[in-house]
């Protein structure tokens, strides 16, 4: 084994180790049969409760029973999850889906939160960087003083500051 | 009594209008007596609203069914305490309760701050009284709790069975304390903007109010989660319902505000941002009431619909336009003399924490209103439910968890490599090792594994802080280690209370991550038959039926075996409340351990004695509730007054 390992470059070794680790960590999913509960989580119950079909807890709920029965028969007929979803959308419209589709205008709902966060983070980094640059230009001595301190002095100063802040 | 209540409300409305005008005119013209008269108006408003609240309580307890509100929310068979809780069960009563709380808070804040914040007080009073006037307008002219029926019915319609749960005593009042509590810091922020006195005094004056409001909003949300878990009978605690979201949004922005004010206190930075946050938090608190009351979005809270939506909408619009106009006018004065020194510093980590919290609030807001946006833009009705909110918010939540670990341990101004290594190497290695162990033990779900690893990291950073502080104390003061820990907390309540809150939040996160491993099974059983779910065996013994004061109870008896050993009996119920026969209520049975909850729902039963069950195993649920308790304890510690606080010089100058 040692001989083989010698011929694998370090970068590749890390890559293989990574793949093995990922396979080990996340590769344990076993294929299983589709259940009603699994599909029901994709839909909103049409009784008006606003909960998913899987979670509608009305004591007696006609729409829930009707929809779950339909899912059960579609699963029995061998339909896949996407096929069942398509059939329900055709019957009830898009509002039956518990989440917006990831297409067209609905992408606004999916993308905007992350785009805003990324833009915000970018802005923060940019601001911090520009301020830091400006400080270096305007107050070279302030930075210089810090740089002049020995590690022990810096440590002592930080501890003092921390103690005073408390 | 109804006439008395109505009259009290009408006078209170006039008094609150006077309470807006008098201090404003007094402050502008320098007539101190007018300002004092405004203070008296605040107190009078409180007494009048107390009178109206007492009148409604009297009508409820004496079953005065000529009163529409009493007839709608109580009945003769309703128990004493649920009758008291009917005060906030319906729209008019809860608006009255809201306004009464506001009048009490306004009175207290005036009494506490009139001397040392005399310049801000008239304007803060005017803002609180204007808010009170809006709610009193609703109570007097749009939704009166003292409206009378033309006849006296023999009995009332009773309280919605969903509301007949101990949660009714805790969830709405705490939530309202939270919502209303944010009015005080908002009022002082506006006062600071109007006067141009934008130093840190308004923040110091309202820090405890903010913490108070945040504490109760947090409790309200947690009580709501617990209530949903035990009452709604679907096995979860958070359905991303619009009304639930409405309470989460001000909580998120309020949490951001609680953190960012620290930067203003310490370094005089983020003045504009803090104003934005408190304006948003207040507006979102009103938005929460608007969503609950307007019925603009379908919700499990649909028992609270009304036509008040446009009025609330107009009020929120006025609040936002006025507040942001003021803010823009004062932008120059709000400029901070300080800037970020480095991206790797406590200040910038607080900024990132704020970004994530506000980002989360935005994503919840967008998801909540997106059905309306879609209908307006495309003309297509869509639903936005748990799959959306979970997919969008889980990564944001994980980022928040990470920043929670980094934030408190970074140095102010600029963290050195040495500082980073000293504070994060140990916790980082510990978390990685812990994560690896969890993976080896079979935890393979990526998000949950990441959440647990980050949870370990944050816990380690916090415990390390406690350990270091206690070690120094123990060495210097020659105290025993446990005593040093206690004294450390007591001497730095705000800081270590905050850490305890963070520990509570981690437990909450872990509990939520545990829900990824829920297992569920359904079965129809005849008496004597058993079902198996993981290590549990449940034997159905039979069904008991018996009447109570207000319902017919159908309770299934299930003997529970854990790995073959009998561990007790569970009694899930399906109850039919009088007057609500078409809406049988589920009462779940739960067996809780540190490891998991065994959650049993009686889904239905038939004449032949057979019953259908839904059984769910929810891992780590208890961690969530314990996390909630820890969070409450931490907040109380941070809130508790410290005698030395007044003697301390402004900490801000220390780091400048």
């Amino acid at each position: 084994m040692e001989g083989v390992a010698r011929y694998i470059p370090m970068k590749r070794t890390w890559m293989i180790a990574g793949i093995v680790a990922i396979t080990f960590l996340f590769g344990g999913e076993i294929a299983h049969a589709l259940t009603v509960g699994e599909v029901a989580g994709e839909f909103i119950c049409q009784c008006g409760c606003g909960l998913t079909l899987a979670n509608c807890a009305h004591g007696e709920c006609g729409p829930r029973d009707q929809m779950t029965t339909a899912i059960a028969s579609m699963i029995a007929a061998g339909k896949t999850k996407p096929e069942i979803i398509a059939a329900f959308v055709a019957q009830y419209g898009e509002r039956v889906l518990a989440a917006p589709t990831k297409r067209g205008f609905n992408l606004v709902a999916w993308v905007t939160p992350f785009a805003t966060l990324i833009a915000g983070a970018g802005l923060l980094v940019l601001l911090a960087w520009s301020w830091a640059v400006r400080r270096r230009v305007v107050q070279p001595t302030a930075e210089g003083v810090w740089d002049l301190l020995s590690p022990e002095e810096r440590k002592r100063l930080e501890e003092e500051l921390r103690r005073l802040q408390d | 009594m109804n006439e008395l209540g109505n009259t009290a409300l009408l006078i209170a409305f006039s008094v609150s209008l006077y309470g807006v005008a008098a201090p404003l005119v007094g402050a502008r013209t320098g007539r101190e007596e007018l300002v004092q008269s405004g203070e008296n108006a605040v107190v009078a408003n409180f007494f009048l609203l107390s009178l109206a609240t007492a009148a409604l309580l009297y009508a409820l307890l004496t079953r005065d069914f000529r009163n529409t509100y009493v007839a709608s929310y109580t009945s003769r068979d309703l128990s004493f305490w649920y009758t008291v809780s009917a005060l906030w069960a319906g729209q008019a009563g809860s608006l009255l309760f809201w306004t009464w709380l506001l009048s009490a808070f306004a009175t207290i804040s005036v009494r506490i701050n009139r001397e040392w914040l005399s310049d801000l007080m008239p304007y803060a009073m005017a803002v609180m009284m204007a808010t009170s006037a809006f709610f009193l307008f609703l109570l007097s002219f749009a939704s009166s709790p003292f409206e009378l029926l033309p006849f006296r019915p023999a009995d009332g319609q009773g309280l919605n069975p969903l509301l007949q749960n101990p949660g009714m005593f805790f969830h709405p009042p705490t939530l309202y304390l939270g919502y209303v509590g944010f009015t005080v810091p908002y009022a002082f922020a506006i006062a600071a903007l109007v006067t141009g006195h934008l130093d840190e005094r308004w923040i110091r004056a309202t820090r405890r109010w903010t913490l108070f409001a945040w504490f109760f909003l947090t409790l309200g949300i947690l009580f709501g989660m617990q209530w949903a878990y035990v009452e709604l009978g679907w096995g979860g605690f958070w359905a991303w319902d619009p009304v639930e979201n409405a309470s989460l949004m001000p909580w998120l922005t309020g949490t951001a505000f609680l953190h960012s004010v620290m930067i203003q206190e310490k370094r005089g930075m983020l003045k504009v941002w803090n104003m934005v946050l408190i304006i948003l938090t207040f507006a979102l608190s009103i938005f929460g009431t608007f969503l609950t009351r307007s019925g603009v979005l379908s919700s499990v809270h649909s028992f609270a619909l009304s036509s008040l939506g446009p009025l609330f909408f107009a009020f929120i619009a006025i609040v936002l336009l006025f507040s942001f106009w003021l803010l823009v006018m004062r932008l120059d004065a709000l400029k901070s003399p300080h800037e970020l020194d480095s991206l790797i510093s406590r200040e910038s980590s607080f900024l990132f924490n704020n970004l994530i919290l506000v980002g989360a609030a935005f994503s919840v807001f967008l998801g909540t209103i997106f059905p309306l946006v879609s209908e307006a833009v495309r003309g297509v009705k869509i639903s936005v439910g748990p799959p959306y909110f979970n997919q969008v918010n889980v990564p944001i939540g994980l980022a928040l968890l990470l920043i929670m670990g980094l934030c408190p341990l970074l140095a102010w101004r600029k963290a050195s490599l040495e500082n980073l290594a000293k504070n994060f190497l140990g916790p980082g290695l510990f978390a990685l090792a812990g994560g690896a162990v969890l993976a080896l033990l079979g935890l393979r779900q990526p998000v949950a594994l990441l959440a647990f690893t980050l949870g370990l990291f944050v816990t380690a950073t916090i415990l390390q802080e406690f350990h270091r502080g206690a070690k120094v104390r123990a060495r210097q003061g020659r105290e025993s280690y446990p005593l040093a820990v206690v004294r450390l907390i007591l001497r730095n309540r705000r800081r270590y209370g905050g850490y305890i809150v963070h520990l509570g939040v981690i437990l909450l996160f872990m509990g939520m991550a545990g829900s990824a491993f829920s297992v569920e099974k359904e079965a129809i059983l005849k008496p004597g038959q058993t079902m198996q779910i993981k290590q549990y065996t449940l034997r159905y013994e039979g069904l008991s039926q018996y009447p109570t004061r207000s319902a017919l109870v159908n309770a299934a008896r299930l003997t529970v075996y854990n790995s073959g050993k009998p561990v007790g009996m569970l009694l899930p119920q399906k109850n039919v409340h009088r007057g609500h026969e078409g809406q049988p209520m589920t009462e779940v049975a739960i067996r809780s351990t540190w490891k998991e909850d065994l959650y049993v729902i009686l889904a239905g039963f038939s004449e032949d004695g057979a019953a259908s069950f839904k059984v769910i195993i929810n891992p780590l649920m208890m961690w969530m509730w314990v996390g909630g308790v820890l969070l409450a304890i931490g907040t109380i510690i941070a809130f508790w007054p410290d005698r030395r606080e007044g003697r301390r010089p402004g900490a801000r100058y220390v780091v400048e």
Side-chain angles (χ1 to χ4, degrees), chain B residues 409-427:
Chain B
L409 300 188
L410 284 170
W412 289 101
R413 301 196 71 167
K414 186 178 184 178
S416 62
L417 272 177
E418 200 186 346
N419 165 268
L420 294 177
K422 183 183 151 201
N423 287 328
F424 298 116
L425 192 62

Side-chain angles (χ1 to χ4, degrees), chain B residues 580-621:
Chain B
H580 299 272
E581 281 75 11
Q583 190 190 352
M585 297 303 305
T586 305
E587 296 291 338
V588 299
I590 305 169
R591 183 180 182 274
S592 286
T593 62
W594 278 100
K595 190 182 165 201
E596 62 205 4
D597 274 14
L598 178 65
Y599 186 99
V600 183
I601 305 156
L602 173 61
F605 52 88
S606 58
E607 296 284 315
D608 62 352
S612 63
F613 297 96
K614 185 171 176 180
V615 183
I616 306 170
I617 293 180
N618 283 327
L620 308 183
M621 279 305 295

Side-chain angles (χ1 to χ4, degrees), chain B residues 61-82:
Chain B
L61 292 170
T62 55
R63 305 288 197 272
D64 180 2
F65 294 127
R66 212 159 62 90
N67 178 313
T68 312
Y69 186 82
V70 177
S72 306
Y73 296 104
T74 65
S75 54
R76 294 199 182 278
D77 59 6
L78 194 66
S79 69
F80 174 82
W81 287 111
Y82 282 123

Side-chain angles (χ1 to χ4, degrees), chain B residues 113-358:
Chain B
N113 301 309
R114 63 205 284 198
E115 302 296 334
W116 77 290
L117 287 176
S118 55
D119 55 332
L120 300 184
M121 210 61 246
Y123 301 97
M125 266 195 291
V127 172
M128 288 187 276
M129 285 294 96
T131 310
S132 179
F134 166 70
F135 278 90
L136 279 162
F137 172 79
L138 298 181
L139 285 164
S140 304
F141 306 108
S143 178
S144 171
F146 299 106
E147 204 178 283
L148 297 180
L149 289 166
F151 61 98
R152 183 187 294 271
D155 201 353
Q157 291 169 18
L159 192 65
N160 185 325
L162 267 177
L163 302 181
Q164 294 184 39
N165 178 281
M168 187 62 183
F169 302 111
F170 304 109
H171 171 57
T174 47
L175 210 54
Y176 280 14
L177 282 164
Y179 281 155
V180 182
F182 279 118
T183 313
V184 180
Y186 168 75
F188 278 92
I190 294 297
L193 283 175
V194 174
T195 55
H197 301 165
L198 295 157
D199 51 274
E200 277 72 77
R201 281 181 312 140
W202 77 269
I203 281 188
R204 290 223 307 276
T206 58
R207 192 180 76 78
R208 283 212 163 75
W209 280 106
T210 310
L211 205 55
F212 171 88
W214 183 87
F215 172 65
F216 279 106
L217 191 56
T218 309
L219 283 189
I221 291 171
L222 288 169
F223 284 136
M225 284 158 72
Q226 225 275 336
W227 189 357
Y229 186 61
V230 301
E231 188 64 39
L232 292 181
W234 54 273
F237 49 86
W238 192 266
W240 293 106
D241 175 81
V243 173
E244 291 175 340
N245 296 350
S247 64
L248 184 62
M249 288 184 272
W251 184 87
L252 288 164
T253 52
T255 309
F257 179 69
L258 264 181
H259 287 87
S260 67
V261 289
M262 286 186 226
I263 304 288
Q264 186 169 342
E265 281 180 86
K266 300 268 186 198
R267 304 234 24 219
M269 293 166 65
L270 305 184
K271 288 180 180 176
V272 177
W273 181 238
N274 284 329
M275 287 288 177
V276 170
L277 283 179
I278 194 60
I279 292 167
L280 283 180
T281 304
F282 175 69
L284 287 169
S285 296
I286 304 287
F287 183 68
T289 318
F290 161 69
L291 267 191
T292 317
R293 298 293 155 202
S294 69
V296 70
L297 293 159
S298 66
S299 149
V300 288
H301 296 70
S302 52
F303 45 79
L305 307 186
S306 84
S307 55
L308 295 185
L311 292 169
F312 269 106
F313 191 74
F315 183 66
I316 295 169
I318 292 168
V319 164
L320 288 175
L321 287 173
F322 173 70
S323 308
F324 282 114
W325 171 75
L326 266 180
L327 184 60
V328 171
M329 292 291 111
R330 295 285 182 202
L331 272 182
D332 281 344
L334 284 165
K335 267 190 183 155
S336 167
H338 307 285
E339 292 173 342
L340 278 182
D341 294 79
S342 160
L343 203 57
I344 315 292
S345 63
R346 193 176 298 188
E347 293 91 320
S348 61
S349 74
F350 268 64
L351 273 177
F352 278 102
N353 143 305
N354 267 240
L355 176 73
I356 294 167
L357 285 165
V358 175

Side-chain angles (χ1 to χ4, degrees), chain B residues 434-456:
Chain B
V437 169
L438 287 172
L440 285 171
L441 290 173
L443 181 65
R444 303 290 165 83
Q445 216 273 354
V447 173
L449 184 60
L450 191 57
F452 281 111
T453 308
L454 286 173
L456 285 172

Side-chain angles (χ1 to χ4, degrees), chain A residues 24-26 49 51 54-55 57 94-95 97-98 102 106 109 117 121 128 131 134-135 162 164-166, chain B residues 232 234 239 266 300 339-341 343 378 381-383 385 388 391 412-413 439 444 465 495 614 654-655:
Chain A
F24 169 71
L25 287 175
F26 310 127
C49 67
L51 295 169
N55 292 341
E94 251 184 73
R95 71 173 193 275
L97 296 174
K102 287 173 182 164
N106 288 346
L117 274 173
W131 283 338
R134 198 159 61 193
R135 282 183 74 82
R162 203 162 129 191
L164 283 167
Q165 284 164 37
D166 293 339
Chain B
L232 292 181
W234 54 273
K266 300 268 186 198
V300 288
E339 292 173 342
L340 278 182
D341 294 79
L343 203 57
R378 295 167 62 209
K381 279 190 177 175
I382 64 157
S383 308
Y388 167 84
Q391 280 186 55
W412 289 101
R413 301 196 71 167
R444 303 290 165 83
E465 274 299 278
R495 178 173 169 184
K614 185 171 176 180
V654 168
V655 287

